[in-house]
């Protein structure tokens, strides 16, 4: 089965320029061997169009085994570990692997208001999707080298707000912080409340003559954009499964 420049829209995403060949080893029920690859462009989560690649296998039970999925994002890549999409069990567990993604764009994706800067991030974000709810447990990202972090505007984290007279010093330092190391820990409870722990080591050359600082700052996030991206992409994959199944009937 050959797909050439196929496009379709789901409630959470738009797929276009889908190309690839699917080798069918069964027509009813439809089934494929492993290593079937489709490529195209996906728009989800309010993010710019991104190229994707889907490596999958369709089982006779109508379960779509995604062996690997990858999206080009912010001059880097976000890919997944293998997972199954079962139409009868709307629950998915996978690990998002972040490779050399731009720091500022990653902050936008995980909804950290007011943070920006330069650098590239790598790491893993374990996610579990049930219906339209996403849970993140022990996500860990780190910068691959030194860079700059800037905190401006947005909501000031509670730890800084409670710092009293020291708050201004902290905010001044973070307005143009030259970090040596930067790490993020991400978690989201079943209630939907999410937290991001930002760990920094570095300095601001304009504050206290460049004195070094170590910061551990907790931000709140609902991970809305990340949730929309994951749900939109999964919905699109399910729709692709449905349409492929319909073609073979």
């Amino acid at each position: 089965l050959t797909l050439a420049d196929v496009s379709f829209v789901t409630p959470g995403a738009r797929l276009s320029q889908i190309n690839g060949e699917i080798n069918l080893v069964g027509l009813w029920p439809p089934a494929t061997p492993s290593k079937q690859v489709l490529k195209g462009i996906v728009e989800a989560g309010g993010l710019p169009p991104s190229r994707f690649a889907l490596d999958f296998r369709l089982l006779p039970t109508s379960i779509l085994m995604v062996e690997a999925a990858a999206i080009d994002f912010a001059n880097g890549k976000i890919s997944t570990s293998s997972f199954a999409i079962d139409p009868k069990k709307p629950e998915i567990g996978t690990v998002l692997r972040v490779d050399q993604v731009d720091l500022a764009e990653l902050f936008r994706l995980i909804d950290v208001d007011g943070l920006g800067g330069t650098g590239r991030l790598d790491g893993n974000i374990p996610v579990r999707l049930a219906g339209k709810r996403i849970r993140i447990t022990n996500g860990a990202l780190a910068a691959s080298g030194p860079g700059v972090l800037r905190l401006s505007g947005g909501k000031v984290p509670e730890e800084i707000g409670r710092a009293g007279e020291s708050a201004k010093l902290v905010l001044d330092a973070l307005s143009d912080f030259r970090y040596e190391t930067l790490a993020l820990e991400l978690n989201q409870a079943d209630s939907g409340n999410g937290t991001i722990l930002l760990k920094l080591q570095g300095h601001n050359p304009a504050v206290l003559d460049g004195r070094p600082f170590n910061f551990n700052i907790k931000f709140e996030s609902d991970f809305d954009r990340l949730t929309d991206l994951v749900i939109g992409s999964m919905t699109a994959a399910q729709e692709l499964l449905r349409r492929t199944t319909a073609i073979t009937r």
Side-chain angles (χ1 to χ4, degrees):
L1 177 66
T2 300
L3 301 183
D5 289 331
V6 174
S7 300
F8 63 87
V9 178
T10 71
R14 181 179 187 275
L15 271 70
S16 59
Q17 299 181 32
I18 303 171
N19 290 276
E21 292 186 351
I22 301 174
N23 180 21
L24 294 165
V25 293
L27 291 178
W28 188 251
T32 74
S34 62
K35 301 300 180 184
Q36 305 302 297
V37 178
L38 294 176
K39 296 181 179 181
I41 294 175
V42 61
E43 298 174 59
L47 299 172
S50 301
R51 293 196 173 276
F52 78 88
L54 182 67
D55 184 336
F56 68 96
R57 178 185 181 189
L58 180 59
L59 302 182
T61 55
S62 295
I63 294 175
L64 179 65
M65 297 296 302
V66 177
E67 295 167 340
I71 297 176
D72 291 340
F73 179 76
N75 297 317
K77 181 181 290 186
I78 298 177
S79 56
T80 71
S81 62
S82 61
F83 62 92
I85 298 178
D86 185 346
K88 298 178 182 178
K89 298 178 181 179
E91 184 172 334
I92 296 169
T94 187
V95 176
L96 302 182
R97 296 168 178 155
V98 177
D99 294 299
Q100 290 295 288
V101 169
D102 179 78
L103 177 145
E105 291 302 315
L106 197 284
F107 282 149
R108 286 184 57 217
L109 180 62
I110 59 177
D111 290 322
V112 184
D113 190 25
L115 276 181
T118 65
R120 298 279 169 185
L121 295 178
D122 300 301
N124 296 320
I125 307 175
V127 300
R128 183 163 294 279
L129 179 65
K132 292 187 177 182
R133 303 200 66 173
I134 187 172
R135 181 178 181 183
I136 297 171
T137 306
N138 298 325
L141 302 171
S144 57
V148 179
L149 179 133
R150 298 184 180 92
L151 174 63
S152 60
K155 183 180 179 181
V156 176
E158 289 185 10
E159 285 87 346
I160 297 178
R162 292 195 301 262
E165 295 181 358
S166 301
K168 184 178 185 305
L169 177 62
V170 174
L171 291 173
D172 286 345
L174 293 176
S175 66
D176 188 28
F177 195 75
R178 314 300 171 89
Y179 65 81
E180 295 298 324
T181 64
L182 180 152
L184 296 167
E185 296 179 2
L186 296 80
N187 285 281
Q188 186 170 30
D190 290 332
S191 63
N193 298 322
T195 60
I196 299 167
L197 181 61
L198 174 63
K199 298 181 177 182
L200 293 166
Q201 292 181 339
H203 70 285
N204 183 330
V207 175
L208 298 181
D209 297 322
R211 179 184 125 183
F213 288 91
N214 292 332
F215 289 123
N216 292 309
I217 306 170
K218 186 176 290 186
F219 293 81
E220 294 181 358
S221 173
D222 291 328
F223 299 106
D224 287 343
R225 280 199 181 94
L226 179 60
T227 299
D228 290 344
L229 176 64
V230 172
I231 292 176
S233 299
M234 299 305 178
T235 301
Q238 288 176 309
E239 177 64 12
L240 183 59
L241 167 63
R242 188 191 69 79
R243 289 178 181 236
T244 301
T245 302
I247 289 172
T248 61
R249 290 179 182 174

